[in-house]
Amino acid sequence: MTTAGKQRAEAVREILCSVLRDPDRNLQKLRRAAELFRGREFSAQRQLLRCALEDPSHPYYGYLRRLFSDIDLDVVARLLENFCVNDQMIGREIRESVGREFGCRVPRAVFMDPSSSGGLLCAGSPGVLPEREYRLTEETMESVVRQGKVLGIYIYAFTGREPLHCAQSLIRICEAHPDCLFLIFTDGILIDWLLAEKMRRAGNVIPVVRFCGGEEETDRRHGAGTYRRVRQALEILRGKELFFGISCKLAENTLLYGTSSDFYEDLIRQGVCFLWYSMQVPDGGTVSDSVLPDLSRRAEAYQRIRRLRAVKPLPALDFQNDTRFFGGCQAGGRGYLHIGADGGIDPCCYVRSEDRSANIYRMTLLEALRSPAFRAYRGEAPGRAREIPSCPFPEHHVFLPERDSREISS
């Protein structure tokens, strides 16, 4: 890390420590921390932070204070250190250095599917392997994190059917790497007070509970009583003072409720800290009109999301549509890569490549990032000149690395 980078990182650490010692008195110092981030990334978020700190009438004025009063301060400290310092400062310099040295792009996050079985998911989960059951070993996932940190990657997301079927392995990995952030996307029904306490003690775990509809729709899709069990999981996470979010997959039958003011208000009352949107698509990379809303309805939903997150104290990320604020499609190593439960390394978490030669059991993360499939996906191979402005999957339906330079560039 450069001398200037070390100085910025240390300055941010001192500010965060000061804020955590006395949030009521020192919260305003977060403005100075935001100014120490370089580049244009998260510039809009930094501006929002400054406004929220200065204006008591701002929707996020109370939200910031709630984070320091309702979330365990040890958890807040770990999350801020890992994101602001390890990912944004230390990790960023390493990623850029590795990218220059090896001629590839290094992502800031790795998505992993610990298992291809279990869970309440309807058709539409990324990385699902319906033909047979697969499971990543704990040693393999641990190796991925070790390799990733060498490349400057400090954010990991456990995705797939139901990661918490491997809960004990995941907790051990989180505890072994306190300098990383771990998101766990879960149906929530396996969360109990004991598991939530382990998450709290680790301090670097962010549970993200899948929650898409009201009681009637949820129970219709997943069985009677499911809605109540998911709500109970949210109560447990709030009771343990964890920083947690909701993952909402927008399908034709959940589009209106999932982008309604009532939905936001309900989540705020439940203590939810953020909302993660994505479009629901069927298994296997094919699109059904009965599941995926048409383009006009998706556009209307996205405008509702933008309006709601501007006035409601609940940050919301639209995984597909918000890529325009981060320079375009984040797949292919630009923002993330995906490792399936079979070990396959894919540029995109929604569509599996037909070329299965890239596998974590046969190559390293760096070798995968330098492979032809990843280079073609990101347009670094000859024959492709422009970036993808946002997620192309809903419109192109089949989006495979060995085909994309022909299909998407045309």
Side-chain angles (χ1 to χ4, degrees):
M1 193 174 188
T2 65
T3 301
K6 291 178 181 178
Q7 292 174 343
R8 286 197 304 272
E10 187 56 37
V12 170
R13 284 195 183 98
E14 291 179 3
I15 292 171
L16 296 179
C17 288
S18 176
V19 171
L20 289 162
R21 281 195 300 270
D22 191 344
D24 291 335
R25 176 173 296 183
N26 297 325
L27 196 60
Q28 294 288 336
K29 293 182 179 181
L30 287 176
R31 285 181 298 180
R32 173 57 181 155
E35 293 168 359
L36 290 170
F37 289 98
R38 65 184 179 87
R40 293 179 297 175
E41 192 171 30
F42 297 112
S43 59
Q45 288 80 2
R46 295 201 298 267
Q47 178 60 32
L48 184 148
L49 174 63
R50 288 191 287 268
C51 293
L53 287 169
E54 296 169 359
D55 182 4
S57 67
H58 194 281
Y60 287 91
Y61 182 88
Y63 173 85
L64 290 173
R65 283 148 183 82
R66 178 167 70 86
L67 292 182
F68 288 90
S69 63
D70 295 358
I71 309 300
D72 184 290
L73 284 182
D74 289 336
V75 172
V76 175
R78 182 66 58 82
L79 297 182
L80 287 175
E81 168 84 9
N82 291 354
F83 177 74
C84 296
V85 178
N86 296 343
D87 171 62
Q88 280 293 294
M89 294 186 162
I90 297 173
R92 182 171 180 170
E93 284 203 9
I94 296 173
R95 294 191 297 268
E96 291 176 351
S97 175
V98 171
R100 287 192 299 268
E101 181 178 355
F102 293 98
C104 63
R105 282 176 168 159
V106 180
R108 64 184 309 180
V110 172
F111 291 12
M112 281 189 281
D113 297 352
S115 173
S116 65
S117 63
L120 296 172
L121 294 181
C122 297
S125 174
V128 170
L129 305 173
E131 298 86 3
R132 55 176 290 192
E133 181 178 337
Y134 294 87
R135 179 168 292 195
L136 291 175
T137 66
E138 181 176 340
E139 292 75 15
T140 299
M141 293 186 285
E142 167 75 19
S143 173
V144 168
V145 177
R146 289 198 306 270
Q147 292 180 52
K149 287 165 64 174
V150 173
L151 303 178
I153 305 171
Y154 286 88
I155 298 178
Y156 299 85
F158 296 116
T159 54
R161 281 290 192 183
E162 179 47 81
L164 289 183
H165 280 302
C166 311
Q168 301 312 312
S169 293
L170 302 188
I171 291 297
R172 283 193 290 269
I173 292 171
C174 296
E175 291 174 338
H177 300 278
D179 52 350
C180 294
L181 287 178
F182 295 93
L183 291 83
I184 302 179
F185 287 78
T186 171
D187 296 325
I189 62 173
L190 297 180
I191 293 176
D192 56 22
W193 289 100
L194 178 60
L195 179 57
E197 173 61 19
K198 291 180 179 179
M199 293 178 176
R200 188 195 64 78
R201 287 204 303 264
N204 57 348
V205 180
I206 303 177
V208 188
V209 179
R210 301 175 178 121
F211 188 63
C212 301
E215 183 170 6
E216 181 179 353
E217 175 65 19
T218 299
D219 286 355
R220 183 188 69 80
R221 297 168 67 199
H222 303 301
T226 302
Y227 179 85
R228 178 185 56 79
R229 296 168 69 187
V230 174
R231 297 290 293 226
Q232 183 180 32
L234 301 183
E235 293 174 7
I236 291 172
L237 295 175
R238 185 178 188 180
K240 283 298 181 180
E241 300 182 337
L242 286 165
F243 183 88
F244 66 98
I246 289 292
S247 171
C248 179
K249 286 189 176 296
L250 296 178
E252 186 63 38
N253 56 353
T254 62
L255 195 68
L256 289 178
Y257 178 75
T259 57
S260 68
S261 179
D262 288 345
F263 184 58
Y264 273 66
E265 292 290 350
D266 181 44
L267 298 184
I268 292 168
R269 286 192 296 269
Q270 289 292 314
V272 174
C273 300
F274 66 94
L275 183 53
W276 178 300
Y277 283 107
S278 61
M279 284 294 164
Q280 182 164 325
V281 295
D283 296 343
T286 59
V287 175
S288 167
D289 292 338
S290 64
V291 173
L292 183 66
D294 64 33
L295 182 59
S296 63
R297 284 176 55 75
R298 296 203 305 272
E300 292 171 2
Y302 183 53
Q303 291 308 312
R304 288 197 297 273
I305 292 170
R306 295 187 67 178
R307 288 195 297 269
L308 285 167
R309 68 187 179 191
V311 299
K312 303 288 186 183
L314 182 64
L317 172 71
D318 187 316
F319 186 71
Q320 275 101 355
N321 291 305
D322 280 341
T323 55
R324 67 194 67 195
F325 299 121
F326 300 96
C329 175
Q330 295 296 293
R334 179 170 190 164
Y336 75 92
L337 61 78
H338 174 257
I339 302 175
D342 64 343
I345 307 174
D346 291 303
C348 175
C349 66
Y350 282 95
V351 181
R352 288 163 52 81
S353 170
E354 290 179 350
D355 177 8
R356 307 312 296 160
S357 62
N359 192 290
I360 197 62
Y361 293 112
R362 295 192 292 270
M363 64 171 55
T364 66
L365 287 180
L366 182 58
E367 288 170 339
L369 291 169
R370 300 182 69 193
S371 69
F374 273 77
R375 293 182 63 237
Y377 200 102
R378 286 308 329 156
E380 294 170 1
R384 185 169 180 190
R386 67 176 180 86
E387 296 290 355
I388 303 165
S390 60
C391 176
F393 176 74
E395 273 61 62
H396 290 273
H397 298 188
V398 178
F399 185 44
L400 300 170
E402 57 268 35
R403 299 175 182 172
D404 72 340
S405 60
R406 297 193 302 271
E407 295 181 357
I408 307 302
S409 295
S410 60

